[in-house]
């Protein structure tokens, strides 16, 4: 049987979230270790599924809006502990940690990453997906931000990064080309906050993957975009 299905971005995110939670590494991390979820529009429904309710609070810090790329100061203040003489992504506490399935909040990111080990999983949304299946994240911070520290810790400690991302974020060039063209410190003018681009070396999960994982069906994208999304 063949069926044609239309999904809004929110519906795509919910579909992908259900698939991510069925992945064996995620189920094992929930059962035996640490599952860390970085808040975003892509991971909102993952948190909703895990908590059994809306996670509430600020779930998005970096966003792309009509006026440009944006880092909400109010959002950052609500999700970051201020330590005298210490600033940066390593002291943010906006992530959710599930320790053997039980939710925890409030730890510094730098402490959570140091604790993670093989078998643990970090879930992070992304801003771009290229035609080679690689994901990229926009960076506004000069120190590599949250994702830079997460990638470094993953390489040192051996935990897995999973990247849920919808096909609405596909770009027509490889991430490496976008990264070479961008550069927050090399940009003279920008709509919003100047950004760089970093590739995320994680397991990418899209709607196509989600359909296959949840039902065994093979999905083929036909079109993207529309009205009243």
């Amino acid at each position: 049987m063949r069926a044609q299905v239309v999904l809004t971005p929110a519906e795509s995110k919910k579909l992908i979230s259900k698939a991510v939670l069925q992945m064996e590494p995620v189920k094992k991390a929930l059962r035996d270790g640490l599952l860390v979820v970085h808040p975003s529009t892509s991971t909102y429904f993952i948190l909703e599924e895990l908590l059994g309710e809306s996670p509430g609070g600020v779930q998005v810090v970096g966003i792309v809006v009509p006026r440009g790329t944006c880092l909400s100061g109010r959002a950052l203040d609500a999700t970051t502990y201020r330590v005298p003489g210490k600033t940066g992504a390593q002291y943010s506490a906006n992530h959710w940690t599930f320790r053997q399935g039980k939710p925890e909040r409030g730890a510094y990111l730098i402490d959570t990453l140091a604790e993670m080990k093989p078998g643990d999983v970090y879930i992070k949304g992304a801003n771009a997906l290229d035609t080679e299946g690689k994901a990229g994240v926009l960076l506004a911070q000069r120190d590599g931000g949250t994702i830079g520290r997460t990638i470094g810790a993953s390489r040192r400690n051996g935990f897995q990064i999973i990247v849920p991302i919808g096909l609405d974020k596909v770009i027509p060039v490889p991430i490496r080309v976008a990264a070479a063209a961008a550069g927050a410190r090399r940009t003279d003018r920008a709509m919003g906050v100047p950004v760089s681009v970093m590739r995320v070396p994680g397991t990418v999960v899209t709607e196509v993957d989600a359909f296959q994982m949840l039902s065994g069906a093979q999905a083929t994208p036909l079109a993207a975009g529309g009205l009243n999304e």
Side-chain angles (χ1 to χ4, degrees):
M1 183 182 77
R2 292 178 181 240
Q4 293 186 359
V5 178
V6 177
L7 298 174
T8 66
E11 289 169 339
S12 290
K13 290 176 172 66
K14 192 156 191 173
L15 175 70
I16 293 168
S17 296
K18 289 182 177 296
V20 167
L21 291 174
Q22 292 303 309
M23 297 173 70
E24 284 303 320
V26 173
K27 292 195 288 187
K28 184 178 185 301
L30 275 172
R31 183 179 66 247
D32 302 326
L34 296 181
L35 176 70
V36 180
V37 182
H38 184 89
S40 68
T41 60
S42 297
T43 59
Y44 175 88
F45 293 109
I46 291 176
L47 289 169
E48 189 175 66
E49 292 275 343
L50 290 171
L51 296 170
E53 61 183 5
S54 170
V58 176
Q59 297 304 316
V60 181
V61 176
I63 56 176
V64 180
V65 293
R67 71 172 182 269
T69 48
C70 175
L71 176 66
S72 169
R74 187 170 66 86
L76 186 61
D77 288 339
T79 58
T80 302
Y81 291 111
R82 300 300 183 185
V83 182
K86 298 179 179 179
T87 59
Q90 66 268 41
Y91 298 107
S92 68
N94 59 347
H95 59 283
W96 287 79
T97 300
F98 293 84
R99 189 182 302 274
Q100 295 181 337
K102 297 180 180 179
E104 299 178 358
R105 297 296 309 272
Y108 295 142
L109 177 65
I110 192 172
D111 294 331
T112 301
L113 294 176
E115 187 180 355
M116 297 182 74
K117 60 188 183 303
D120 294 334
V121 172
Y122 192 102
I123 302 178
K124 174 81 167 71
N127 301 105
L129 177 68
D130 69 16
T131 53
E132 298 174 349
K134 296 180 175 61
V137 170
L138 300 181
L139 299 176
Q141 296 178 333
R142 295 181 179 182
D143 64 356
T146 299
I147 191 58
R149 294 188 176 277
T150 301
I151 291 171
S154 174
R155 289 172 176 166
R156 289 191 303 272
N157 301 349
F159 61 85
Q160 183 175 354
I161 300 174
I162 294 177
V163 186
I165 184 169
L167 295 172
D168 59 310
K169 294 184 179 179
V170 169
I171 60 174
V173 298
I175 293 296
R176 64 179 182 275
V177 174
R185 301 183 73 173
R186 295 185 286 113
T187 299
D188 298 313
R189 294 187 178 185
M191 293 178 63
V193 178
V195 296
S196 303
V197 179
M198 177 182 288
R199 183 188 163 230
V200 185
T203 302
V204 171
V205 182
T206 70
E207 296 94 327
V208 171
D209 303 307
F211 276 117
Q212 197 282 325
M213 292 162 66
L214 293 172
S215 68
Q218 180 178 347
T220 302
L222 302 181
L227 298 176
N228 298 324
E229 292 187 285

